[in-house]
């Protein structure tokens, strides 16, 4: 299991990001704990120095499997279905501006909260149409660079646009691009999916990325989710990507990160010894 953890390159309000602040010091810690990758939350690629990020990641042998874009919504209010066409355009251009960075790092671009909410005066259908057109434009721009986009179904308390895997798969059909898939997050799935394992099987090869947090959005092991069942099912689909920890910095960021990897590695061992004992029967 390739494990990553979310790291913000700029100060952010979103509080399920465990690490903010000094990039190199944080990356050194993340490597020391045994993570294989770091998922970067980047508000605006213009404000980051790709050479510096790449040099630090390489120095520490850390992959960058995904780039989160949600801070552009959280800090600047950009979103695909905003009634203001200038804001819609800015949201699209912002996602497109991540493509060179994503190509360089071989990272997936995450569309989380940037897909927006339905604002007053906008119908659900109109909002969806704007979201689809934006995703078609961004996917088409990303394809020649070999970059994939992953939309994250997000629970109903954060958005009314794409809350679950079924809606995510319908959206994939409507967007119609091979490089457009889903990011599944166990925190959101626990709220929205009738059967989490069945939803993972349903999404199958359209799962481009995977977030883990426990039922309370603390680190895996701090709540009541069955990660052995969830991750076992994920790998049964043939998933080759990263599992990325996105959880609250509780009781503090370092402890959460250390506990998460200890817990997930133990589960990984249990799953592989289980599958080898079944295959040797
Ligand atoms: C982002 O990955 C996420 O899961 C959302 O809950 C952000 O609010
Ligand atoms: Mn998430």
């Amino acid at each position: 299991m390739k494990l990553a953890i979310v790291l913000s390159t700029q100060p952010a309000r979103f509080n399920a990001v465990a690490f903010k602040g000094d990039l190199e010091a944080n990356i050194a810690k993340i490597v020391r704990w045994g993570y294989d990758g770091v998922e970067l939350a980047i508000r605006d690629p213009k404000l980051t120095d790709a050479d510096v990020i790449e040099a630090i990641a390489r120095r520490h042998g850390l992959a960058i499997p995904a780039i989160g874009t949600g801070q552009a919504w959280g800090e600047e209010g950009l979103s695909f279905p905003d009634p203001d066409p200038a804001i819609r355009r800015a949201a699209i251009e912002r996602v497109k501006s991540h493509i060179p960075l994503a190509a360089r790092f071989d990272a997936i671009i995450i569309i989380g909260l940037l897909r927006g909410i339905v604002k007053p005066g906008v119908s659900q259908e109109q909002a969806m149409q704007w979201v689809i057109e934006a995703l078609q434009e961004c996917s088409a721009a990303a394809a020649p660079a070999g970059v994939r986009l992953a939309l994250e179904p997000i629970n109903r308390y954060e958005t009314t646009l794409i809350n679950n895997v079924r809606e995510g798969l319908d959206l994939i059909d409507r967007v119609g691009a091979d490089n457009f898939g889903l990011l599944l997050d166990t925190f959101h799935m626990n709220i929205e999916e009738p059967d989490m394992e069945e939803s993972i099987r349903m999404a199958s090869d359209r799962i481009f990325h995977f977030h883990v947090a426990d039922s309370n959005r603390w680190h895996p092991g701090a709540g009541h989710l069955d990660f052995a069942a969830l991750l076992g099912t994920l790998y049964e689909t043939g998933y080759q990507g990263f599992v990325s920890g996105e959880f609250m910095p509780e009781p503090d960021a370092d402890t959460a990160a250390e506990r998460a990897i200890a817990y997930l590695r133990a589960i990984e061992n249990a799953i592989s010894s289980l599958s080898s004992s079944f295959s040797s029967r």
Side-chain angles (χ1 to χ4, degrees), residues 159-174:
T159 181
T160 52
L161 287 165
I162 319 297
N163 300 127
N164 58 46
V165 168
R166 181 71 273 152
E167 291 166 353
L169 292 173
D170 288 346
L171 180 70
I172 285 176
D173 284 345
R174 294 179 72 185

Side-chain angles (χ1 to χ4, degrees), residues 101-158:
L101 208 59
R104 184 167 172 172
F105 298 149
D106 199 16
I108 283 161
I109 299 177
I110 295 172
I111 310 294
L113 284 171
L114 202 65
R115 104 288 239 107
I117 57 173
V118 182
K119 292 255 177 100
V122 177
S123 69
Q124 181 83 15
E125 297 82 275
Q126 175 64 83
M128 274 304 289
Q129 195 50 42
W130 281 330
V131 168
I132 289 164
E133 284 165 14
L135 290 168
Q136 285 170 333
E137 182 175 338
C138 293
S139 302
V147 170
R148 297 187 297 163
L149 269 64
L151 183 124
E152 180 176 33
I154 288 181
N155 78 75
R156 68 191 70 183
Y157 305 108
E158 297 186 53

Side-chain angles (χ1 to χ4, degrees), residues 77-95:
L78 302 188
S79 79
F80 292 155
D82 196 282
D84 180 344
I87 295 182
R88 295 202 298 276
R89 177 51 37 202
I92 293 170
E93 294 305 326
R94 180 62 59 83
V95 171

Side-chain angles (χ1 to χ4, degrees), residues 14-15 33 91 123 222 228 238 275 281:
F14 178 46
N15 57 5
W33 290 324
S123 69
S275 59
R281 275 183 201 176

Side-chain angles (χ1 to χ4, degrees), residues 35-87:
Y35 285 91
D36 312 292
V38 67
E39 175 183 319
L40 295 178
I42 297 179
R43 175 159 74 80
D44 186 344
K46 257 200 338 272
L47 305 175
T48 62
D49 186 331
D51 292 337
V52 169
I53 294 177
E54 188 171 29
I56 295 175
R58 267 182 198 231
R59 199 156 48 241
H60 294 276
L62 210 58
I64 303 176
I67 296 173
T69 57
Q71 290 177 1
W73 156 261
E75 315 289 317
E76 297 173 64
L78 302 188
S79 79
F80 292 155
D82 196 282
D84 180 344
I87 295 182

